[in-house]
Amino acid sequence: MQDNAQPADDIRRDAGAVEGAADTTQTFGHDSDLSFVPFGSELSEVEWDAIGALPSRSALLLVRSGPTAGARYLLDADVTTVGRHPEADIFFDDVTVSRRHAEITRTGTVFEIVDQRSLNGTYLNGERADRAVLTDGAELRIGKFRLNFFVSPLDRRQAEGA
């Protein structure tokens, strides 16, 4: 029986590489391809009304940029899933979002974002966050989506009075 194995030094490490070709890795998460509403910009009257109507123990996510800019999501469950999986509570159909990207958990009137080991990460106010408490007006970034988080005014007043 003849041995057809090649010596290790004969293996071409750059097989398939084209001489002079540039790296074409695409980076996700840049705003250049997004419809973008700058953080801190004025909310519409409809958005203020939606925030004002929130019952206690609930919150609202407003999509500020990305393919679904302008969408609103009511957070009124103890666990809300976010991802590209069709059964996610908040479904973001974009390759920059992992199938099971993050969860938003509620304990009493406190909401937390919990990254689910997503590829592109979850960002809170510009900082990568594995787990963090969401504060009123906070900015979340999930893939190419930027969102603002707003708590119920009833809970905000209760927290300020405590």
Side-chain angles (χ1 to χ4, degrees), residues 2-25:
Q2 186 178 13
D3 185 9
N4 290 330
Q6 292 180 330
D9 58 342
D10 286 349
I11 297 174
R12 290 189 55 200
R13 300 223 181 263
D14 63 347
V18 178
E19 189 172 326
D23 181 9
T24 58
T25 302

Side-chain angles (χ1 to χ4, degrees), residues 13-14 29 42 64 81 89 94 116 120 123 150 152:
R13 300 223 181 263
D14 63 347
E42 291 298 314
R64 308 297 273 165
T81 58
D89 298 316
D94 190 87
Q116 299 295 301
N120 287 322
Y123 292 80
F150 296 96
S152 166

